[in-house]
Amino acid sequence: MDRRTALLDAGIAALTLAIAVSTLAMDGLGTPDPKSVPLDALGVVLAVGSSVPLALRGRAPVTVYVVVGVASLALMMLNYPLDFPLGAAIGGYGVAARYSGGSDLVRRSALAAVVGFGPLMAVAYQLAGDDLTRISVELTFLAVMFVAIWITGDRSRLRRERIVALEERAARTEREVEREHRLAAAQERTRIARELHDSAGHAISVILVQAGAARLLHERDPERSKRALATIEDVARGTMDEIGRLVRALREDGQSDLTPAGPAAIDDLLDGFRSGGLALTSRIVGSPGAVPRSVASAAYRILQEALTNATRHGDGSADVTVRFAAEAVEIAVTNPTGTTIPPSGGGHGIVGMRERAVLLGGTLRAGVTGGVYRLSARLPHFAADGAPGVMT
């Protein structure tokens, strides 16, 4: 028990003792019975026994109820004017509240102990020489009262158990919300890591191409060699800035939109590849309009990965078509393959493009046909009801 409960039980015991002693001292609550025994030392001892043990009812409710009940019945048998056994009623409530939800045997025993106090009072009054027919109304009221005490204690137990269940459910819900937050943070970190892979992979591809061009043109065409070195410097600086943003996002553990998704982002991406040495033919059909940011971001990264593959594995040229239709964004990239055939299903880049398309309910095709690498993706503005297909 906590300190507050112990103090409450002690206060109940003191109040019950005061009521019992006052009732005995006034010869009962109504008209005094000629056979009543005036308050004496034995009466005080029994009054104490019928009330003071209630201070421990939270620790041992059955023992307290037995002691208080026996003392109360003794007062009745000895003709002390204890008209209302308040201590026994409080003790019986404690037993009902504690054991009404136990096993079948425990519940039945507790019920018999509480409800059976009514008949025991009738026996006590009869042993004291009282005419039971004269006090039949009072005895009936007391018997019904102890039945009501059992019902009240049982309902109190049910309410307490519901409160405990609600508290446990609230704590479980809080733990689940915290776990979902941690999962969302982990997913965001995974997404940021993928962004870092895409961005760094693109930058390294451009740097490799430009570094090779600078080496080959160093003596034959110094101006073009310098431009290639300048491009390497610009790409490296931009990549360092983006890596810095990504690392800050990881440290801050926040939900941030890191992928460029504005209308001009695709044009800037294409210009970046052109400046990196890729002979690029592009067609933008339609207007971006109100394309959802998730679709625009996925289109940007898929196009970036496709052109990175073209730079690494192609012959230095590529053809791009981006179509902004009413219901979807469609991307088509073709480039002649070089000596290295681009992966069609195993690399992280293709896997990442696939995942982005699937998450939006779209489709993606990637493969080599007749020496030409072809990639096509369709990203709907809203996912379809059915499960999307992914084709390779």
Side-chain angles (χ1 to χ4, degrees):
M1 293 192 305
D2 56 25
R3 182 179 180 84
R4 180 178 178 181
T5 302
L7 290 175
L8 177 62
D9 288 346
I12 291 175
L15 179 61
T16 304
L17 175 62
I19 293 174
V21 172
S22 300
T23 302
L24 296 178
M26 293 186 301
D27 290 333
L29 299 176
T31 303
D33 190 339
K35 295 188 301 180
S36 295
V37 176
L39 181 63
D40 54 11
L42 179 59
V44 172
V45 171
L46 292 176
V48 170
S50 68
S51 54
V52 172
L54 293 174
L56 302 176
R57 68 190 184 100
R59 298 178 182 271
V62 173
T63 302
V64 168
Y65 179 57
V66 170
V67 172
V68 170
V70 169
S72 300
L73 292 173
L75 286 170
M76 297 175 186
M77 291 175 58
L78 296 176
N79 277 323
Y80 286 100
L82 183 68
D83 294 335
F84 182 76
L86 179 60
I90 296 175
Y93 173 83
V95 171
R98 177 71 66 86
Y99 297 105
S100 60
S103 63
D104 188 63
L105 177 61
V106 172
R107 178 180 174 86
R108 290 178 181 274
S109 300
L111 175 62
V114 175
V115 176
F117 193 81
L120 288 177
M121 285 190 295
V123 173
Y125 280 121
Q126 188 174 22
L127 293 176
D130 289 327
D131 184 4
L132 297 184
T133 58
R134 185 176 60 87
I135 58 173
S136 59
V137 175
E138 290 82 354
L139 289 176
T140 301
F141 169 77
L142 290 174
V144 172
M145 183 193 71
F146 274 89
V147 173
I149 287 172
W150 171 264
I151 295 174
T152 303
D154 186 39
R155 295 296 178 269
S156 175
R157 174 190 60 82
L158 292 174
R159 184 177 65 86
R160 185 174 64 251
E161 290 178 354
R162 282 197 296 270
I163 292 174
V164 172
L166 289 174
E167 291 176 349
E168 292 178 352
R169 183 183 303 174
R172 185 167 58 251
T173 301
E174 185 177 355
R175 291 194 298 268
E176 290 176 355
V177 169
E178 184 179 356
R179 184 166 58 250
E180 289 177 359
H181 286 171
R182 290 197 300 268
L183 178 60
Q187 291 174 341
E188 178 68 5
R189 287 174 175 269
T190 301
R191 187 181 73 85
I192 293 173
R194 187 166 55 191
E195 302 285 356
L196 181 59
H197 165 267
D198 294 343
S199 177
H202 159 61
I204 291 173
S205 296
V206 173
I207 290 173
L208 286 174
V209 172
Q210 294 299 318
R215 179 176 55 82
L216 294 174
L217 298 173
H218 179 65
E219 295 180 356
R220 187 175 58 189
D221 193 342
E223 289 300 322
R224 289 181 62 186
S225 177
K226 290 181 180 179
R227 287 198 298 273
L229 292 173
T231 301
I232 291 174
E233 182 180 1
D234 292 339
V235 171
R237 183 179 294 110
T239 302
M240 289 299 297
D241 292 339
E242 185 165 4
I243 289 175
R245 290 192 301 113
L246 293 171
V247 171
R248 283 195 301 273
L250 286 172
R251 287 176 177 173
E252 294 169 1
D253 199 18
Q255 301 283 337
S256 57
D257 294 324
L258 301 170
T259 305
I266 291 180
D267 290 334
D268 293 340
L269 178 65
L270 298 176
D271 291 340
F273 275 97
R274 288 192 182 98
S275 64
L278 184 64
L280 186 59
T281 302
S282 61
R283 288 178 299 279
I284 308 295
V285 181
S287 173
V291 177
R293 183 175 183 87
S294 59
V295 176
S297 298
Y300 180 94
R301 286 307 186 190
I302 288 175
L303 184 58
Q304 183 187 53
E305 184 63 34
L307 293 178
T308 298
N309 285 339
T311 302
R312 289 177 178 175
H313 309 291
D315 66 349
S317 64
D319 182 84
V320 173
T321 300
V322 180
R323 185 185 303 275
F324 294 96
E327 297 180 352
V329 176
E330 299 173 354
I331 301 172
V333 179
T334 60
N335 62 275
T337 59
T339 56
T340 304
I341 303 298
S344 60
H348 290 293
I350 299 296
V351 173
M353 287 189 286
R354 240 191 229 127
E355 290 177 355
R356 293 179 189 276
V358 168
L359 288 174
L360 295 173
T363 58
L364 185 141
R365 287 181 179 171
V368 179
T369 305
V372 177
Y373 181 73
R374 302 178 186 277
L375 181 142
S376 62
R378 186 178 187 275
L379 308 175
H381 293 177
F382 300 97
D385 293 336
V390 180
M391 296 166 284
T392 58

